[in-house]
Amino acid sequence: MFSTGPAAGQGLRDAQQPEKPPKRPRFGEPQKFLPVAFAASTIAGLYLTYMSHHIAPLLLTGDPGAQYGMQAEEDLLARRRGRWQCLWFHVLTALLVACYVRSVLVHPGEIPDNDSQWEYGQDGRSGFDFSQVTQEVKKTGERRHCKWCGKYKPDRCHHCRVCKTCILKMDHHCPWIYNCVGMKNYKHFFLLLLYTVLDTQLILWTMAESVKRCIDEPSTPFVTMFTTFFGWTLNLFLTVLLTAFFGFHIWLMLKAMTTIEFCEKSGAKDSNRRYASSVYDLGLSGNVRAVLGDNVLLWLLPCGGKQGDGLHFVSDESRLSRDIATGKGIRRKGHQTAQRAQRQDEGGGSHYFYGGGSPYGSPQAPH
């Protein structure tokens, strides 16, 4: 006999739930540490080259005991310049390394487990009004969900095929840190770019003196000349590349956009949508605080909390809230117009049809 009681109904509901994949351990693929090892070796190589072929010659210039003559004065200035450059170089390098380690180790954020608000069933039903929780929907108007993670997606959340999980406020996956850049580690990544650019710019402009010295002195050993030229050229390439990349992320921060959102906008056929500001725009100050935190004293340090939890992005300051409020006002006005039209129709007047649809469109995401 077949069971038809409550237990059978519960078993049927359990069978309808999608089977969730097992949790994937972080750093479970050692071969993907190769880019991290390459980046670390580049940092170490530039450090040793700068210290041994630029700072050390400056600090050891001339005789520290000599007190007279033009040459003694030039040597004194060179040693003083070397001390200041050494100090700033170590400060920037220490901050760079700290931000790099934090970018690698801090999880970018994922959708909470065992939270009925984000649990997804095969029937696609949920006990929550998702319009009050999220604004991004699929082109069909349905709530976005991840078929691999078995969860509904919050706004700005995307599934990373490399990390095999959904990342909150995902910006992009970076192989150089073996991690995604998302809600919880974007500040560390942004500061990593900042201090890398400052460090490479310092090396570029100060080490030019040592490059010139190698050219002017024919007696310079070949190994010293090659190492100096190679280190300075490599640093020049990194400076140009990372300065442009950092400038792009400054622009994204001020526009309240992620890299994924920028790519989605750039691929839009509608030019108005392509160049429109983000619906999550909080203004200049609010956009900076959303990335670097509320405490201005901690903006340039790899610590301090950021605004929000990565699950909800509608606030009183956001452009999306203002659009929603404006839309409600338009709907109220339209409703009044429809009522007046209905009364006119009852009195023999002309017909007026009001669709009742929202005058604004919810942002759509293809993922």
Side-chain angles (χ1 to χ4, degrees):
M1 296 294 293
F2 294 100
S3 174
T4 58
Q10 180 64 36
L12 180 60
R13 285 192 295 272
D14 293 340
Q16 289 178 342
Q17 297 297 324
E19 185 177 349
K20 296 182 181 179
K23 273 286 186 180
R24 173 180 176 271
R26 290 196 68 199
F27 312 127
E29 301 175 79
Q31 70 275 13
K32 292 185 178 179
F33 270 110
L34 290 177
V36 178
F38 179 80
S41 62
T42 301
I43 295 173
L46 286 177
Y47 176 86
L48 294 175
T49 301
Y50 186 74
M51 289 298 298
S52 61
H53 291 78
H54 177 69
I55 295 297
L58 287 178
L59 296 178
L60 300 176
T61 299
D63 182 8
Q67 300 180 0
Y68 302 101
M70 183 177 296
Q71 185 62 40
E73 183 176 354
E74 292 179 358
D75 293 343
L76 177 62
L77 292 175
R79 289 193 296 272
R80 185 178 302 171
R81 190 166 61 251
R83 286 193 293 268
W84 278 109
Q85 292 176 7
C86 182
L87 173 63
W88 283 111
F89 176 68
H90 279 90
V91 170
L92 293 175
T93 302
L95 290 169
L96 184 157
V97 172
C99 292
Y100 188 75
V101 172
R102 295 280 286 170
S103 297
V104 174
L105 298 181
V106 173
H107 195 285
E110 59 184 354
I111 305 173
D113 291 324
N114 302 320
D115 188 340
S116 57
Q117 182 176 354
W118 306 107
E119 294 297 326
Y120 174 75
Q122 284 184 346
D123 56 2
R125 297 177 182 176
S126 174
F128 293 88
D129 182 7
F130 74 89
S131 64
Q132 302 299 322
V133 180
T134 59
Q135 296 297 322
E136 294 181 358
V137 296
K138 294 194 287 188
K139 293 181 179 180
T140 58
E142 298 175 338
R143 188 179 181 183
R144 296 191 312 141
H145 71 276
C146 179
K147 62 182 179 181
W148 292 286
C149 298
K151 296 178 181 179
Y152 285 112
K153 289 183 180 181
D155 290 341
R156 317 182 85 177
C157 177
H158 299 272
H159 185 87
C160 177
R161 297 178 182 270
V162 180
C163 296
K164 295 181 175 61
T165 187
C166 286
I167 304 298
L168 299 179
K169 195 184 176 184
M170 181 177 174
D171 189 88
H172 68 285
H173 180 86
C174 180
W176 304 107
I177 62 174
Y178 189 11
N179 202 359
C180 269
V181 179
M183 179 68 189
K184 296 184 179 180
N185 68 341
Y186 184 79
K187 176 183 177 180
H188 308 314
F189 180 78
F190 185 85
L191 292 180
L192 170 63
L193 294 179
L194 169 64
Y195 292 122
T196 302
V197 168
L198 292 178
D199 218 1
T200 53
Q201 290 281 357
L202 176 66
I203 295 174
L204 178 67
W205 298 109
T206 59
M207 197 173 175
E209 175 184 357
S210 297
V211 173
K212 184 177 182 301
R213 185 174 60 248
C214 291
I215 297 175
D216 294 341
E217 297 181 5
S219 60
T220 303
F222 173 78
V223 175
T224 301
M225 183 179 297
F226 174 81
T227 305
T228 303
F229 283 180
F230 178 79
W232 190 82
T233 304
L234 174 62
N235 180 79
L236 173 63
F237 172 76
L238 293 176
T239 301
V240 174
L241 183 66
L242 293 173
T243 300
F245 189 56
F246 179 56
F248 172 66
H249 274 274
I250 292 177
W251 183 84
L252 288 178
M253 178 180 68
L254 298 180
K255 290 291 186 178
M257 281 195 294
T258 63
T259 301
I260 292 178
E261 291 166 355
F262 169 78
C263 293
E264 289 174 351
K265 279 180 173 290
S266 63
K269 296 181 180 179
D270 185 3
S271 60
N272 292 329
R273 179 175 177 267
R274 185 183 306 172
Y275 298 106
S277 59
S278 173
V279 294
Y280 305 105
D281 187 13
L282 299 172
L284 180 62
S285 175
N287 293 338
V288 174
R289 287 187 284 111
V291 172
L292 302 180
D294 290 322
N295 193 339
V296 180
L297 299 178
L298 299 179
W299 275 7
L300 299 181
L301 297 177
C303 60
K306 297 163 290 300
Q307 288 184 334
D309 55 3
L311 299 171
H312 310 90
F313 292 93
V314 180
S315 67
D316 294 336
E317 301 176 355
S318 66
R319 199 193 110 204
L320 183 58
S321 293
R322 295 193 296 270
D323 290 346
I324 292 173
T326 303
K328 289 180 179 177
I330 294 175
R331 287 197 297 272
R332 285 196 297 268
K333 182 178 179 181
H335 178 70
Q336 295 170 0
T337 305
Q339 293 293 332
R340 288 196 298 269
Q342 182 179 4
R343 286 194 292 270
Q344 290 177 2
D345 181 56
E346 291 174 355
S350 60
H351 292 272
Y352 178 88
F353 296 96
Y354 174 66
S358 174
Y360 60 92
S362 297
Q364 297 182 352
H367 300 289

